[in-house]
Amino acid sequence: MPSSPKAPAEQIDARLVRRLAGILNDTGLSEIEVEHDGLKIRVARTLTAAAPVAMAAPAFAAPPSPAPVAEPAAAPMPAPAAGDAVKSPMVGTVYLQPQPDTPSFVKVGDTVAEGQTLMIVEAMKTMNPIPAPRAGKILEIIVANGQPVEFGEPLAIIG
């Protein structure tokens, strides 16, 4: 008698989910998704330090929209510097200097020209320069050297 194939939920390897959650903790990423043989596993964590969540879905299913999370009461945040945010065009690791032990590309207070390299985002072993979208003064550098960044995350403010 042939055995019936297992449903995707029965094929989830708990060790894999734990390894994915470990990757989230080690890298500081907010979510990771793996797909193999029609089984998709997404492990995500909320910014409020909740436990990682694992979900399995067929490859053709749309990702679920996150439920609204109540923000805990916190001290007022300082107002962001007035100016234009330079946002990360990709997920990767940001580097503020061209080589270790060399000066940063720019620092707060520097005047930059349009197209001048502000920092580098490494993605898949490729160094991608992040150019200034316009001329101006660096009002704030929001990220730290070696910090993982997400797509669209603000990196610096140009005034």
Side-chain angles (χ1 to χ4, degrees):
M1 177 173 200
S3 64
S4 63
K6 291 183 178 182
E10 295 174 20
Q11 294 177 2
I12 296 175
D13 181 357
R15 291 176 296 177
L16 174 61
V17 174
R18 285 188 191 98
R19 285 197 335 240
L20 292 173
I23 292 170
L24 288 180
N25 288 332
D26 294 344
T27 61
L29 294 173
S30 59
E31 68 180 61
I32 190 168
E33 188 172 308
V34 177
E35 184 175 352
H36 181 69
D37 291 335
L39 175 67
K40 186 184 288 187
I41 298 175
R42 179 177 168 261
V43 179
R45 65 177 170 179
T46 61
L47 297 178
T48 58
V53 177
M55 294 188 286
F60 57 85
S65 59
V69 177
E71 294 289 327
M77 296 284 293
D84 296 326
V86 177
K87 296 182 180 182
S88 179
M90 64 196 72
V91 174
T93 302
V94 70
Y95 295 104
L96 302 177
Q97 55 205 62
Q99 298 288 325
D101 302 324
T102 60
S104 296
F105 287 104
V106 295
K107 56 189 178 306
V108 174
D110 285 356
T111 300
V112 296
E114 181 176 348
Q116 180 178 341
T117 299
L118 303 177
M119 56 195 70
I120 295 172
V121 173
E122 177 188 10
M124 298 177 60
K125 307 279 185 204
T126 302
M127 300 298 180
N128 302 283
I130 306 302
R134 65 176 182 87
K137 185 175 181 179
I138 301 294
L139 300 178
E140 183 177 359
I141 297 176
I142 301 169
V143 293
N145 193 47
Q147 174 181 330
V149 293
E150 299 285 331
F151 171 79
E153 182 176 339
L155 304 173
I157 304 292
I158 297 180

